[in-house]
Amino acid sequence: MSFQLVGPVLEGESVRLEPLDHRHAAGLAEVVGERRESFGYTWVPNPDQVPGYIEAQLARHREGKLAPYAQIDLATGKPVGATAYWDPRLLPDTGTLFAIEVGFTWLAGAAQGTGLNTESKFLLFRHAFEEWGVARLDLKTDARNARSRAAIESVGARFEGVLRNWSRSWAPGEDGLLRDSAIYAITAEDWPGVRDHLTARIERLRARRAG
């Protein structure tokens, strides 16, 4: 049977990824207005846009293109951001999933730098490689987004190049324009080393918080 993109609940020690739903709207609207200066190249709704944002992501899910998540801070039980599996690629003869992207990721300002993003990525990567058996996992961002590129590189993804005019721009004032996208990936062969890197990094972050 052909692969169906349905993201399960994924839980670590600091963060739980729950399939995005309208029940998360109030919590996301509460935090999304904080410190928006880091969102310059990313699609992040304003507080009053959160219900429409969630509905747009759920529509993509119904089309089989996206499995959106709310990121829940386990220390508070509240949503602090979003992420997603995106663009599943299947072998045409068998319908077997061989590649997927992790994207549509953002965190509220107060949650940035806390380690939640690192553990979220670990949970998403582990499920993709160890449960779905993908051969490749993609991450991409606006080529101008130095903050996002540094975050992607910090979780062990390998830079593969910049694709010009690759997708729509989310930058303010660039409606209708295209952006250059920086492309990163992790392959199945890379995953054991990336897993060890992320496990060690998560342990260091936990020790820092405990200290």
Side-chain angles (χ1 to χ4, degrees), residues 60-76:
R60 289 182 172 91
H61 176 61
R62 291 190 290 269
E63 294 170 357
K65 298 177 179 178
L66 184 83
Y69 283 101
Q71 300 192 63
I72 310 298
D73 183 350
L74 290 178
T76 64

Side-chain angles (χ1 to χ4, degrees), residues 126-163:
R126 183 177 64 182
H127 186 81
F129 284 112
E130 299 182 11
E131 300 299 327
W132 288 340
V134 300
R136 174 186 171 93
L137 187 143
D138 298 319
L139 302 102
K140 65 177 183 285
T141 189
D142 192 305
R144 300 166 294 180
N145 193 342
R147 181 193 293 263
S148 179
R149 292 181 67 165
I152 291 171
E153 291 168 3
S154 75
V155 297
R158 186 177 300 181
F159 176 60
E160 296 189 330
V162 173
L163 298 180

Side-chain angles (χ1 to χ4, degrees), residues 50-107:
V50 168
Y53 168 87
I54 292 175
E55 185 51 43
Q57 295 295 68
L58 293 178
R60 289 182 172 91
H61 176 61
R62 291 190 290 269
E63 294 170 357
K65 298 177 179 178
L66 184 83
Y69 283 101
Q71 300 192 63
I72 310 298
D73 183 350
L74 290 178
T76 64
K78 295 181 178 181
V80 292
T83 190
Y85 287 121
W86 165 239
D87 191 24
R89 302 201 296 286
L90 312 180
L91 295 173
D93 51 344
T94 64
T96 303
L97 178 74
F98 73 91
I100 199 160
E101 181 175 336
V102 168
F104 289 99
T105 301
W106 59 268
L107 276 175

